[in-house]
Amino acid sequence: MAKGVVIVVGAGIVGAACADACARAGYEVTVCEAAGIGGGATAAGMGHLVVMDDSEAQFALTDRSQRLWRTLAPKLPAAAEFASSGTIWVAADAEEMTAVEQKHAYYGERGIETTILDAAALAREEPNLRGGLAGGLLVASDCVVYPPVAAEFLLERSGATIKMGEPVVALGQGEVRFRSGAALQADVIVNAAGMAAGRLTPGLPIRARKGHLLITDRYPGWVRHQLVELGYLKSAHSQDGDSVAFNAQPRPTGQVLIGSSRQFGVTDAAVDRAMLARMLRRAEQYMPALAGLSAIRTWTGVRAATPDGLPLIGPAREDATVLVASGHEGLGITTALVTGELIAAILTGGASAIPPEPYLPTRFQETEAYGHHG
């Protein structure tokens, strides 16, 4: 007999992970999705499963979730394209090599093995990087996955009932209401609706952050690791203004996935040609031969961001029947599994592997930030 009824709103990777975790905890689960499984920001992401060191809270979240991904990996279908490609953080100059040494020490103190690469070692690992770079940091444990297939796998494994095609227009007080006027009741509702989470649970400090990606034709072995410039740390942490950073990923198909760009407060899905050109110029500064590769597709995604860069995971402030799972911004794929784990622990009252407090929506008080949704 089920412990209760849970409705998950949103069938992206976070919603799928929440559905899977709640079902495994003994709940009867229904997932509501207006568009498609693994669509939205999930389909637009790179699928880079990376441990980050911006803060202790972010490290704990990403480290725990990446461990869960590696445990799950043998069960994923081949189409999920899980690969342990590793990450190289690329240092352009001596100042960034200092950051490499700091990251090496930080990860080492927390049990993650990394290797400092000098200029010659970096060139051997990635021959298509330009000359003159200072070096880099290899994090061999980082991985990649194809997010839409992973989301489908998690939903199928959950055994959840899937209600597709009708938008949810309101939720709360144990009820989910659809555009048609129909409604479903549940003991608990998990709001995993990405950007729509802020509309469905008013008061969440969520704003839009748009990004572009481009994928090339097949060039097997052209890139061997996920490559990220250390300047990414500066631009990605900026909370205002547009920015680009060099980010290249080898896909198992031999294609090269190139990012990244960030635009706050932009919600339209159209490719911004000027922003795309700026992103590619940045990439060619690191890999000049990229200009000779054939691009086959470009696309955008809009992510849900929060003021402090951490997701919102836990009870809504004014409704005990609603648990929020949103605001993951660019780390939604990496942190989906630990989000599901935390939601299930809150639901059951059980212990969680990491403390939930840094991610609770209630960490935000009634501040001006609430009124500025992008």
Side-chain angles (χ1 to χ4, degrees), residues 21-256:
C22 291
R24 290 158 70 84
Y27 287 80
E28 177 184 330
V29 179
T30 295
V31 176
C32 303
E33 170 60 52
I37 294 171
T42 296
M46 293 186 95
H48 185 202
L49 306 177
V50 56
V51 176
M52 298 291 287
D53 60 347
D54 294 358
S55 65
E56 288 297 338
Q58 191 183 68
F59 174 84
L61 198 71
T62 54
D63 179 53
R64 173 62 184 168
S65 206
Q66 192 192 74
R67 292 175 191 275
L68 293 173
W69 274 110
R70 288 202 295 269
T71 300
L72 180 66
K75 302 172 185 173
L76 290 170
E81 299 180 349
F82 185 93
S84 299
S85 56
T87 299
I88 295 180
W89 294 90
V90 180
D93 51 31
E95 179 185 2
E96 292 184 356
M97 278 305 288
T98 300
V100 161
E101 292 167 0
Q102 292 170 343
K103 286 174 75 69
H104 174 68
Y106 183 93
Y107 285 133
E109 290 166 0
R110 289 156 183 80
I112 296 180
E113 184 177 348
T114 64
T115 303
I116 294 178
L117 306 175
D118 62 18
L122 178 64
R124 285 194 299 272
E125 293 287 347
E126 293 291 345
N128 283 308
L129 283 169
R130 70 169 171 84
L133 294 168
L137 184 71
L138 170 60
V139 187
S141 53
D142 286 349
C143 326
V144 298
V145 71
Y146 184 52
V149 173
E152 290 176 3
F153 168 82
L154 290 168
L155 277 182
E156 183 176 350
R157 187 172 80 163
S158 76
T161 299
I162 312 296
K163 182 173 175 54
M164 294 286 294
E166 188 171 7
V168 172
V169 295
L171 60 79
Q173 304 302 322
E175 182 174 277
V176 170
R177 186 163 294 278
F178 299 92
R179 180 178 293 172
S180 65
L184 291 175
Q185 283 72 43
D187 299 298
V188 172
I189 301 160
V190 179
N191 182 357
M195 272 305 301
R199 172 175 55 80
L200 296 172
T201 302
L204 295 178
I206 288 176
R207 63 173 176 167
R209 201 170 182 180
K210 179 179 177 179
H212 290 70
L213 288 175
L214 176 149
I215 195 164
T216 72
D217 206 342
R218 299 179 184 226
Y219 301 93
W222 203 86
V223 177
R224 302 169 181 174
H225 308 81
Q226 180 96 25
L227 302 177
V228 189
E229 65 160 293
L230 272 163
Y232 174 93
L233 299 173
K234 301 170 189 172
S235 59
H237 292 184
S238 171
Q239 289 296 310
D240 293 294
D242 299 345
S243 62
V244 297
F246 166 58
N247 193 334
Q249 179 186 98
R251 298 302 309 171
T253 55
Q255 295 168 286
V256 182

Side-chain angles (χ1 to χ4, degrees), residues 341-369:
E341 186 178 70
L342 286 167
I343 288 291
I346 293 168
L347 195 60
T348 61
S352 54
I354 61 173
E357 286 79 8
Y359 323 107
L360 293 175
T362 50
R363 70 183 184 275
F364 292 102
Q365 302 301 315
E366 288 286 0
T367 64
E368 189 178 359

